[in-house]
Amino acid sequence: LGIGQKGKRYTPMVDSMFAVANNPTATNWLTVITNMTDGQTGFMEATDVDGNPMYISYAPVGLDTGWSLALAYPLEEVIQQTRDLQTALMGYSFLLAFIFGVIIFYFTRSVTNPLLKLTQVAEEISSGNLNATAQVETYDEVGTLAETINRMTGQLQDTLGNLERRIAERTMDLEVSRHQTEERATQLLAIGEISKIINAEQELNILLPLITRLVSDRFNFYHTGIFLIDDARQFAVLLAANSQGGQTMLKRGHRLKVGESGIVGFVGKSGVPRIALDVGNDAVFFNNPDLPDTRSEMALPLKAREKVIGILDVQSEKPGAFTPEDTNILGILADQVAIAIENARLLDQTKQ
């Protein structure tokens, strides 16, 4: 519908508009025409000649054209379009909701799946499987947590390894200590047995070979010899030996210079036990052709009334067979041997 104000120009439809406006069944048309001729802009509802509701929107065309334009649209079509628009919007809404739901689902899975994997790894670690490792798939907080779990597992493995190693070392120390204790107990029992036997023998020529044989048998020594200091206290004379090489030495009257020859001479002079191993300064003493298999040697002083009367010489085929602790144990044996020898000597002197 077009209406012009300048020169009262009207379109051919103006008459129809006025006819509609004068129709008793039509409403608001006269108001629309009045507002349009006044150059106003507006929107209102009206009815056509048949009484059908309509929407009317009007506004001037341009600034100085003097024309005004109105658009009339049936209400039913507007409602239908609105319904169609609502239906379309609802469809779009459902589609967007579905799309967002899928996006949120996959986003949630991308977050929860690594967490579930980390939870499984943590459960395995708590059950004792320290070899379980978390896969570092991302570099976000979840990846940082996985790296932290792996570092923690590594620290636990190191701690457990250290504990196991310390326990193994401690167990080995205890086993060695137990073995040493049992060995010391066996040695003490052997010393007691030897002491009982030799104290019952009073003949010196029988006593000395008996001692060497008993000591070698009970302590599993390669060679056992007994040296006695001569009256001039210049030589340590071999008077008894159990080994084959020792028997050869006895036949040729083997003796060593006190204070000069080997560890036997050293002990005869100092009265202090001495151990010689197959290495070090004392290794030169292992050149005896009669005892070629000697790898360790220990000489113990035989003392009577604080005076060295002889030397108990024991030798082994094992390198490093003697320790300082052995000097304490075998020192008890040497004291018993010295007592037995001194008693036999005193008895012999008494007989003479």
Side-chain angles (χ1 to χ4, degrees):
L1 302 179
I3 296 177
Q5 292 85 21
K6 290 183 178 181
K8 299 297 182 181
R9 297 189 299 271
Y10 298 100
T11 66
M13 296 184 65
V14 173
D15 294 336
S16 299
M17 291 176 61
F18 280 107
V20 172
N22 293 324
N23 192 321
T25 60
T27 59
N28 295 330
W29 283 97
L30 186 58
T31 304
V32 171
I33 294 172
T34 303
N35 292 339
M36 290 176 67
T37 56
D38 292 338
Q40 298 181 13
T41 300
F43 172 83
M44 62 187 307
E45 296 182 10
T47 57
D48 60 8
V49 293
D50 296 326
N52 297 319
M54 302 183 72
Y55 285 136
I56 300 175
S57 176
Y58 53 90
V61 178
L63 297 177
D64 299 322
T65 61
W67 288 87
S68 183
L69 180 65
L71 296 177
Y73 210 85
L75 177 61
E76 184 62 29
E77 293 186 18
V78 174
I79 294 175
Q80 183 61 39
Q81 290 184 1
T82 302
R83 290 172 182 170
D84 295 341
L85 180 61
Q86 289 178 345
T87 303
L89 290 176
M90 289 181 64
Y92 291 138
S93 299
F94 283 120
L95 179 60
L96 290 176
F98 176 76
I99 294 174
F100 280 115
V102 172
I103 294 174
I104 292 173
F105 173 76
Y106 282 105
F107 177 77
T108 305
R109 290 289 298 273
S110 66
V111 175
T112 57
N113 283 346
L115 291 177
L116 290 175
K117 294 180 180 179
L118 291 179
T119 302
Q120 293 174 355
V121 171
E123 290 177 352
E124 292 183 12
I125 294 173
S126 63
S127 63
N129 182 16
L130 297 182
N131 294 323
T133 57
Q135 298 296 328
V136 181
E137 300 176 350
T138 59
Y139 296 96
D140 54 4
E141 291 80 0
V142 178
T144 303
L145 180 59
E147 293 178 352
T148 303
I149 290 178
N150 291 336
R151 286 197 300 269
M152 178 189 68
T153 306
Q155 293 174 355
L156 288 176
Q157 288 177 337
D158 293 339
T159 302
L160 182 60
N162 292 332
L163 288 176
E164 291 177 348
R165 183 169 58 255
R166 292 176 61 184
I167 291 173
E169 293 174 353
R170 183 58 178 167
T171 302
M172 183 178 297
D173 293 340
L174 291 175
E175 183 64 23
V176 171
S177 178
R178 184 187 65 81
H179 179 73
Q180 292 177 348
T181 301
E182 292 178 353
E183 185 178 359
R184 295 292 181 265
T186 303
Q187 291 175 344
L188 290 174
L189 289 175
I191 290 172
E193 181 182 356
I194 294 173
S195 299
K196 182 178 180 181
I197 295 175
I198 64 178
N199 286 327
E201 181 58 53
Q202 298 178 348
E203 296 294 332
L204 189 62
N205 58 341
I206 300 176
L207 176 63
L208 296 181
L210 177 62
I211 293 174
T212 58
R213 180 172 58 82
L214 290 174
V215 171
S216 292
D217 291 344
R218 298 299 187 274
F219 291 92
N220 194 26
F221 291 144
Y222 163 62
H223 167 80
T224 301
I226 294 180
F227 293 82
L228 293 182
I229 305 297
D230 62 5
D231 294 337
R233 303 194 66 78
Q234 293 183 355
F235 292 95
V237 182
L238 179 65
L239 295 181
N242 72 298
S243 64
Q244 183 176 356
Q247 296 299 318
T248 302
M249 294 163 63
L250 284 173
K251 290 179 182 179
R252 71 166 183 266
H254 182 70
R255 64 179 184 173
L256 297 172
K257 185 73 173 178
V258 174
E260 297 181 7
S261 301
I263 67 171
V264 172
F266 172 82
V267 173
K269 178 70 173 179
S270 65
V272 178
R274 184 165 181 178
I275 296 175
L277 305 178
D278 58 347
V279 293
N281 296 330
D282 293 330
V284 296
F285 299 138
F286 297 158
N287 59 357
N288 190 340
D290 297 315
L291 300 172
D293 297 330
T294 297
R295 292 295 176 267
S296 300
E297 182 178 4
M298 179 167 59
L300 299 162
L302 302 176
K303 295 182 179 180
R305 294 183 296 275
E306 301 301 325
K307 180 181 179 181
V308 178
I309 63 173
I311 301 95
L312 175 63
D313 180 49
V314 293
Q315 300 181 22
S316 174
E317 299 168 318
K318 301 176 182 179
F322 303 112
T323 63
E325 289 77 10
D326 293 326
T327 61
N328 297 327
I329 296 295
L330 295 179
I332 300 173
L333 175 62
D335 292 339
Q336 297 298 315
V337 171
I339 292 173
I341 292 174
E342 187 67 12
N343 289 339
R345 278 181 167 181
L346 290 175
L347 181 60
D348 185 62
Q349 292 175 3
T350 302
K351 288 181 179 181
Q352 292 179 1

